Amino acid sequence: SIKAPPSKKTATLQVAVKCRPLTDAERRHSRHIIHVTDDKGITVLDPDLSKDYLDRVQNRTKERRYSFDHAFGPECTNADVYIKSISSTIAGVINGLNATVFAYGSTGSGKTYTMVGTHDDPGLMVLSLHTIFDLIKGDQSSDEFEVTCSYLEVYNEVIYDLLEKSSGHLELREDPEQGLVVAGLKCIKVRSADRILELLNLGNSRRKTESTEANATSSRSHAVLEIIVKRKRRKQYQSQVLRGKLALVDLAGSERASETNSGGQKLRDGANINRSLLALANCINALGKQQKKGLAYVPYRNSKLTRILKDGLSGNSQTVMVATISPADDQYHHTINTLKYADRAK
Ligand code: ADP
Ligand code: MG
């Protein structure tokens, strides 16, 4: 059944946290320091302070506790995350609402796994498309639907098309009818969700990555899958078109942003800081404030990514942030930075 679209006028923001399992390699040398206490709570052990004597006396004061809209532990699948925190948001998209879902976390924390997933554990991008097609199939009206997808990358403030073999730089342009568009971006009509994982994997293989350490490939790029659902209403002799847009974003690693972010002050641009990530983080902070205290200025215009996502973050849009964390003790500082950030956003 389709839920009625929410009637409130301000954007809503939900925050979910997902802790991935230790990888096989990590299991040999890392300790698991994350505990998901219930469906909302997470505690983090301070690895330095809990190593020896504190463990013995079972001093639990060295834990930091956090609470979010949803918390998911290592045993949770992407489908669990999807059902609890995303699915109700997706239902609005076939009724003309906009929504944005993004994964925020340091490199290696599980962003791509969460958004794209694998064959056995399909990610939020794939599951969302499946739902959209299921909802369309189950729709009882005589309305006609059209679903199109685009997949782009923002890297160093340049936009590339991930559905094109060798994409040039794409520009943002104001269109008098459609508003802001990425000129020349390939939009493919999709009739079922089946082929999308293939397309996503192909697109991902074209993403620009940068090796920061011998055994780690860090990604500075943001990948945005946009799904547009046009619903042509046929009522009497009039026809009306509703246009819903769902943006699913696999963000660049947050480690660079969190270095400036950990003090809790407003994020600033710096030489090596990812402009789009900082701009998005600032927008999310502003949206969080807006939700709690009423209107706040949201600085959408500060980067390519936030300009692209604006429709899906403003108005009556619904936004879900999935903060991804690693359970390993050597990721403690990244984990704390991500959780602090997510905590401020909610
Ligand atoms: P990121 O995109 O944040 O850099 P990845 O999604 O590439 O991180 O995940 C890092 C590693 O952890 C990968 O090897 C990935 O397969 C693994 N991983 C992440 N989440 C899970 C999960 N829920 N279950 C199993 N493995 C996971
Ligand atoms: Mg990734």
Side-chain angles (χ1 to χ4, degrees):
S1 67
I2 300 167
K3 277 196 183 161
S7 55
K8 38 177 132 45
K9 283 195 196 75
T10 55
T12 60
L13 173 65
Q14 281 207 67
V15 180
V17 172
K18 187 190 188 210
C19 177
R20 67 163 169 82
L22 285 173
T23 62
D24 290 340
E26 280 172 337
R27 215 157 286 153
R28 272 177 251 127
H29 57 78
S30 299
R31 281 199 322 148
H32 199 296
I33 57 165
I34 306 293
H35 180 47
V36 176
T37 53
D38 54 46
D39 61 353
K40 292 179 193 299
I42 283 194
T43 61
V44 186
L45 266 173
D46 184 329
D48 292 335
L49 294 173
S50 63
K51 242 169 216 147
D52 31 58
Y53 72 97
L54 286 175
D55 265 354
R56 266 182 267 126
V57 296
Q58 298 225 311
N59 186 339
R60 296 178 66 83
T61 60
K62 295 307 164 198
E63 282 180 355
R64 291 176 189 246
R65 293 154 192 264
Y66 297 88
S67 166
F68 299 97
D69 295 312
H70 305 279
F72 301 95
E75 71 292 346
C76 291
T77 61
N78 287 325
D80 294 328
V81 178
Y82 179 79
I83 290 164
K84 286 210 176 128
S85 45
I86 319 284
S87 58
S88 63
T89 298
I90 307 302
V93 175
I94 75 156
N95 288 308
L97 285 183
N98 293 335
T100 301
V101 177
F102 63 89
Y104 178 97
S106 59
T107 297
S109 62
K111 294 180 299 297
T112 303
Y113 188 96
T114 301
M115 297 311 290
V116 181
T118 61
H119 179 77
D120 294 330
D121 190 7
L124 304 182
M125 290 175 169
V126 181
L127 296 170
S128 301
L129 262 170
H130 272 294
T131 304
I132 285 173
F133 284 107
D134 285 349
L135 289 170
I136 289 174
K137 228 178 259 166
D139 186 75
Q140 299 293 313
S141 71
S142 56
D143 297 350
E144 268 175 45
F145 292 90
E146 187 190 279
V147 183
T148 52
C149 277
S150 64
Y151 197 30
L152 63 81
E153 170 180 52
V154 179
Y155 180 79
N156 281 342
E157 291 303 290
V158 179
I159 303 168
Y160 300 90
D161 192 340
L162 289 173
L163 297 181
E164 284 284 6
K165 210 183 223 155
S166 42
S167 158
H169 299 189
L170 302 180
E171 297 297 334
L172 287 169
R173 204 165 287 160
E174 280 300 334
D175 180 275
E177 273 165 33
Q178 293 171 271
L180 189 79
V181 294
V182 181
L185 181 67
K186 198 171 187 175
C187 286
I188 54 165
K189 223 184 253 187
V190 253
R191 294 183 194 287
S192 78
D194 289 344
R195 239 175 60 78
I196 197 68
L197 186 60
E198 239 173 88
L199 271 170
L200 289 176
N201 285 331
L202 189 68
N204 282 338
S205 70
R206 295 184 183 132
R207 284 180 72 178
K208 299 186 177 46
T209 53
E210 159 216 29
S211 183
T212 49
E213 282 167 44
N215 58 352
T217 304
S218 138
S219 178
R220 283 205 201 192
S221 86
H222 311 283
V224 182
L225 175 72
E226 223 173 64
I227 303 167
I228 292 173
V229 181
K230 277 191 196 153
R231 176 179 194 136
K232 288 180 198 148
R233 285 226 145 117
R234 298 197 189 287
K235 267 191 184 162
Q236 286 130 17
Y237 300 103
Q238 286 181 319
S239 73
Q240 179 199 13
V241 181
L242 295 176
R243 187 173 176 276
K245 189 171 92 172
L246 171 66
L248 297 136
V249 191
D250 182 9
L251 288 175
S254 62
E255 52 275 2
R256 284 187 183 82
S258 60
E259 280 158 23
T260 51
N261 189 14
S262 48
Q265 70 277 59
K266 189 174 185 319
L267 304 176
R268 272 185 305 267
D269 232 354
N272 269 322
I273 308 293
N274 187 310
R275 185 183 181 94
S276 276
L277 188 62
L278 288 179
L280 180 68
N282 283 329
C283 286
I284 295 301
N285 274 347
L287 284 172
K289 264 188 215 149
Q290 194 172 65
Q291 192 161 277
K292 271 177 281 191
K293 298 177 191 152
L295 285 181
Y297 173 68
V298 184
Y300 296 109
R301 293 206 55 88
N302 290 352
S303 76
K304 294 274 166 64
L305 183 68
T306 49
R307 290 178 70 193
I308 292 169
L309 295 179
K310 185 183 174 204
D311 283 359
L313 296 171
S314 54
N316 58 1
S317 302
Q318 293 191 290
T319 301
V320 183
M321 164 173 170
V322 183
T324 55
I325 56 174
S326 157
D329 53 357
D330 56 359
Q331 296 297 307
Y332 176 71
H333 290 288
H334 288 321
T335 299
I336 290 297
N337 280 334
T338 298
L339 292 176
K340 269 191 200 160
Y341 178 68
D343 196 46
R344 277 211 312 279
K346 74 179 187 207

